Amino acid sequence: MAHEKRAAYREHTYWGRPIPGFGDAKARVMVFGLAPAAHGANRTGRVFTGDRSGDWLYRAMFRAGFANQPESTHIGDGLSVKGAWVTSVVKCAPPDNKPEPTERDACRPFLRREIEALGSLRVVVCLGSFAYEAACAEFAVRPRPKFAHGVEVESPSGVVILGSFHPSQQNTFTGRLTEEMLDRVFGRAAELAGDRKSTRLNSSHEWISR
């Protein structure tokens, strides 16, 4: 896919390799995505960068106080995140954006190393059912509650897993996922991580401590 470029990115040199996680080494919140987008992270080399899913994600993280800016278009655009780590369950862009269980299992050791490196981790935000199932497996949640937007599960280790619909165009264009819905998930993540005691949304979709 790094060779079969979209016309808009014809002059771009694609990363075309596994995508590492990105963020704050002292993060209390970890974000699990599905896999790198073929013309997003697979092009830029940074997870959730350069595509519409990433636009939604970083806007929500910005409003929740986890990112210094509301968008990420390329790896040198100045984005930094505080208190959070963003990664994907599968590290390479899969055909048709549909990773197989074998690909998930092959990438599992890399995901586990990321988790182990975050000694202050308290919350995992899972974008979609694929990420949710992977998180429940990693944190030994048994039985696994059914995935739903807003599902909240405490693992045996005390890490809380939060589920959200994935900010894919299939969900955002149809209204299945709204920005307010995603804001509420990240507001809850911030609350559970101890970044603020409780939060609410004002009419501008801005989180306010109370």
Side-chain angles (χ1 to χ4, degrees):
M1 285 178 280
H3 297 287
E4 298 174 3
K5 302 175 183 179
R6 284 183 177 170
Y9 307 127
R10 187 179 298 112
E11 304 303 319
H12 290 221
T13 299
Y14 276 49
W15 173 260
R17 287 171 282 171
I19 306 298
F22 165 75
D24 184 348
K26 297 180 180 180
R28 295 183 177 185
V29 175
M30 193 173 191
V31 180
F32 278 19
L34 176 77
H39 304 285
N42 189 51
R43 172 174 57 88
T44 66
R46 185 164 66 192
V47 63
F48 275 107
T49 293
D51 62 21
R52 287 179 176 173
S53 294
D55 294 343
W56 273 67
L57 173 63
Y58 289 121
R59 282 200 300 267
M61 292 183 68
F62 173 74
R63 289 189 293 264
F66 291 116
N68 69 324
Q69 60 190 44
E71 64 177 10
S72 181
T73 57
H74 59 88
I75 201 165
D77 60 13
L79 175 73
S80 64
V81 298
K82 182 178 181 181
W85 184 268
V86 185
T87 192
S88 57
V89 174
V90 172
K91 303 303 183 185
C92 294
D96 300 320
N97 198 35
K98 295 178 180 178
E100 299 289 339
T102 53
E103 294 169 316
R104 176 199 62 205
D105 295 343
C107 291
R108 190 171 181 177
F110 301 105
L111 183 65
R112 187 173 296 133
R113 289 177 201 169
E114 289 181 279
I115 294 169
E116 291 172 351
L118 299 177
S120 300
L121 185 62
R122 294 186 181 180
V123 184
V124 177
V125 175
C126 303
L127 303 178
S129 60
F130 187 92
Y132 173 74
E133 291 170 7
C136 287
E138 287 299 327
F139 290 94
V141 174
R142 300 183 187 91
R144 184 183 70 226
K146 184 178 179 180
F147 172 76
H149 182 84
V151 65
E152 182 174 321
V153 183
E154 184 171 351
S155 71
S157 66
V159 171
V160 177
I161 298 169
L162 297 178
S164 170
F165 292 145
H166 193 283
S168 64
Q169 292 182 51
Q170 181 180 0
N171 289 331
T172 59
F173 280 11
T174 61
R176 187 173 188 237
L177 178 67
T178 66
E179 295 207 60
E180 184 173 349
M181 289 168 65
L182 193 56
D183 283 342
R184 292 192 182 282
V185 170
F186 277 98
R188 179 59 175 159
E191 182 180 341
L192 290 167
D195 290 346
R196 43 182 172 259
K197 293 183 179 178
S198 62
T199 53
R200 64 178 174 83
L201 276 172
N202 69 10
S203 59
S204 300
H205 288 187
E206 295 174 339
W207 286 99
I208 302 173
S209 299
R210 63 178 180 180

